[in-house]
Amino acid sequence: QLQLVESGGGLVQPGGSLRLSCAASGRTLDYYAIGWFRQAPGKEREGVSCISYGVVSTYYADSVKGRFTISRDNAKNTVYLQMNSLKPEDTGVYHCAAKRGGRLCVDMEQWGNGTLVTVSS
């Protein structure tokens, strides 16, 4: 059974950077689409980024495009989210999620427990 564990969150000042990791175990991650989602206090969960199964394609929400980068390291069975030029509105709990054979990050099947990102001066 696929298991996902996020790490890398923390407290950072506006303009700073963080690198989030989504480490998978139990199955080979390259057969899955992997998405990053976040939920800010008092708000609904939103999709942040996605990397697809098969021919690699990526998606970024308009609010993070140009600042965030999603990538795979198949040797480590891990997906990363590099976050640069962070803003206070990026604050939230970040979850990674997986869909087997997925080409889009919809109807996700497995979820990690999340890592907290706080952007504040």
Side-chain angles (χ1 to χ4, degrees), residues 21-107:
S21 297
C22 177
S25 61
R27 298 187 188 276
T28 301
L29 197 55
D30 61 328
Y31 293 116
Y32 295 79
I34 303 295
W36 284 98
F37 301 79
R38 69 186 180 191
Q39 187 167 17
K43 297 182 179 180
E44 295 184 348
R45 186 174 63 200
E46 62 175 339
V48 175
S49 187
C50 177
I51 187 163
S52 67
Y53 160 78
V55 176
V56 176
S57 62
T58 57
Y59 158 86
Y60 299 95
D62 288 343
S63 59
V64 307
K65 194 171 185 178
R67 300 188 296 120
F68 291 11
T69 303
I70 190 169
S71 62
R72 290 183 185 268
D73 187 335
N74 289 332
K76 296 181 178 180
N77 213 25
T78 299
V79 170
Y80 301 97
L81 185 67
Q82 178 67 47
M83 306 188 297
N84 298 327
S85 301
L86 284 162
K87 303 175 180 180
E89 53 263 43
D90 295 318
T91 293
V93 177
Y94 284 68
H95 297 261
C96 64
K99 182 175 178 61
R100 189 175 185 178
R103 310 196 77 84
L104 296 171
C105 287
V106 295
D107 301 322

